[in-house]
Amino acid sequence: MDNTRRLDIPGAAGRVEVDGVLGLLYKVKVDDQVILRRKGHWAIPLRKGGTARLTSSGLIPGFQTLRLDGEPVLKMGAHVQPPEKAAAFSPLLLILLGWLGAVIAVLMVLSNIVLVKNANMPRGLRIALPLVNTVVIAGVIYVLFAPYSG
């Protein structure tokens, strides 16, 4: 799967692309020039003059929706089904194990988002790996920080 998607924006002055759609961070480009985000939107130049407003909505990194003047044009991570999304957020259970679990949980969730968006990996692995990793890390934290009772 390609990490760059072309946006179909009628009247755009050039080729508009989003680079990094399979990761956490992405860049908007017009004719291979990165457009900076200003005041919450990207200004896309139009052929007839003026600009169109490209905005992003959504809180979860990697799963935002890009909207052109309010209309959705690209939903990143749309190919990821709910079981994969749930598995990606399973490390949040580590928060129950204290501050170390919370720090590790955030790092694992961010890396799991990239993992579950990888369409080249079999679906079973995209579900199983985050779950198995969560159980293993929970076991390691428990063994390292459990009170010794001997």
Side-chain angles (χ1 to χ4, degrees), residues 118-137:
N118 184 356
N120 294 327
M121 183 175 286
R123 184 171 186 243
L125 278 178
R126 288 187 282 155
I127 296 171
L129 279 176
L131 297 173
V132 170
N133 288 341
T134 300
V135 171
V136 169
I137 293 298

Side-chain angles (χ1 to χ4, degrees), residues 9-144:
I9 298 179
R15 185 180 72 246
V16 181
E17 296 176 325
V18 179
D19 186 26
V21 295
L22 295 178
L24 294 172
L25 305 175
Y26 55 91
K27 296 180 273 191
V28 176
K29 296 180 178 182
V30 175
D31 288 334
D32 296 324
Q33 295 291 329
V34 175
I35 302 295
L36 297 178
R37 190 174 183 170
R38 306 268 184 200
K39 297 182 182 181
H41 71 280
W42 294 270
I44 307 297
L46 300 175
R47 279 189 295 253
K48 295 182 180 181
T51 59
R53 250 176 95 102
L54 184 68
T55 58
S56 134
S57 62
L59 295 175
I60 302 171
F63 292 106
Q64 290 94 358
T65 300
L66 294 180
R67 298 175 183 278
L68 181 69
D69 295 327
E71 295 297 318
V73 291
L74 176 66
K75 184 173 182 181
M76 289 184 273
H79 65 285
V80 180
Q81 297 176 6
E84 288 100 324
K85 286 182 185 178
F89 290 97
S90 65
L92 292 178
L93 294 172
L94 296 175
I95 292 173
L96 300 173
L97 298 177
W99 67 269
L100 182 61
V103 170
I104 292 173
V106 169
L107 297 174
M108 286 180 70
V109 165
L110 294 176
S111 65
N112 284 345
I113 289 172
V114 175
L115 174 90
V116 299
K117 288 176 74 174
N118 184 356
N120 294 327
M121 183 175 286
R123 184 171 186 243
L125 278 178
R126 288 187 282 155
I127 296 171
L129 279 176
L131 297 173
V132 170
N133 288 341
T134 300
V135 171
V136 169
I137 293 298
V140 168
I141 291 173
Y142 180 76
V143 167
L144 290 177

